[in-house]
Amino acid sequence: MQGWQMWDRRKEVLALCVCLTLGACSSVGSYHGPVQCAPYARQVSGVNLRGRAASWWWEARGHYQRSHRPQPGSVLVFRASSRIPDGHVSVVRRLRTRRRIEVDHANWVGGRIEHSVPVEDISPRGDWSLVRVWWAPAGSMGRRAYPTYGFILPMR
């Protein structure tokens, strides 16, 4: 390979790395494409709330029961933070243990819908106020802790 070809190849690799890095930022609120967590959660759960995901907890008051215990079909509401400025919502799919559930959600990994994603309660009181979420690009539980409000229960 000649010198200029090697330089072009390095630029291609660098461009790919930049794209992958930007894609990894999607879960922190920078991805505003066609797949969003709130419309997905509304469609899957039947919880008919609108607005920023973080506002769902307060919007649910008086309309839906809220809880600090997960139930299949309930919506886990993440608080707004520097990592997720609009918050996030996930739909509980399955209870695994007292401190581990599986959720379905959209846009945790930018532009993707994910199913059966592990979420772990790491709150000191076991009240699901602080969680870690599986990070598919790394193939492991995420290292970051995310504060949550709790669970919105759909009407039965």
Side-chain angles (χ1 to χ4, degrees):
M1 200 180 276
Q2 294 189 5
W4 64 271
Q5 289 173 317
M6 182 82 83
W7 175 247
D8 282 346
R9 182 70 181 139
R10 286 184 185 148
K11 286 195 300 189
E12 288 175 8
V13 169
L14 178 61
L16 176 62
C17 288
V18 168
C19 287
L20 290 174
T21 300
L22 290 174
C25 295
S26 300
S27 68
V28 297
S30 65
Y31 179 85
H32 295 288
V35 179
Q36 295 293 310
C37 66
Y40 176 79
R42 184 172 39 255
Q43 177 184 1
V44 171
S45 70
V47 171
N48 191 18
L49 297 172
R50 306 253 183 247
R52 294 175 50 230
S55 72
W56 280 32
W57 184 253
W58 304 110
E59 296 296 324
R61 188 175 32 198
H63 302 284
Y64 295 93
Q65 195 174 12
R66 300 181 301 175
S67 176
H68 294 284
R69 290 189 176 165
Q71 293 181 23
S74 63
V75 176
L76 175 57
V77 182
F78 289 70
R79 294 174 181 260
S81 68
S82 62
R83 300 284 302 165
I84 47 174
D86 293 328
H88 183 73
V89 285
S90 298
V91 180
V92 177
R93 179 184 192 89
R94 182 175 298 118
L95 309 178
R96 286 295 182 190
T97 67
R98 193 172 58 79
R99 288 199 162 215
R100 188 169 269 218
I101 60 176
E102 290 179 4
V103 301
D104 293 345
H105 60 185
N107 205 33
W108 190 258
V109 175
R112 289 170 49 185
I113 295 173
E114 298 177 288
H115 300 282
S116 301
V117 175
V119 176
E120 179 178 64
D121 173 24
I122 59 169
S123 64
R125 291 180 291 174
D127 63 1
W128 289 90
S129 60
L130 195 63
V131 301
R132 286 188 326 145
V133 180
W134 181 264
W135 181 240
S140 64
M141 288 303 286
R143 291 178 292 175
R144 294 196 188 324
Y146 292 93
T148 69
Y149 286 110
F151 302 89
I152 298 171
L153 309 179
M155 290 184 206
R156 303 255 176 212

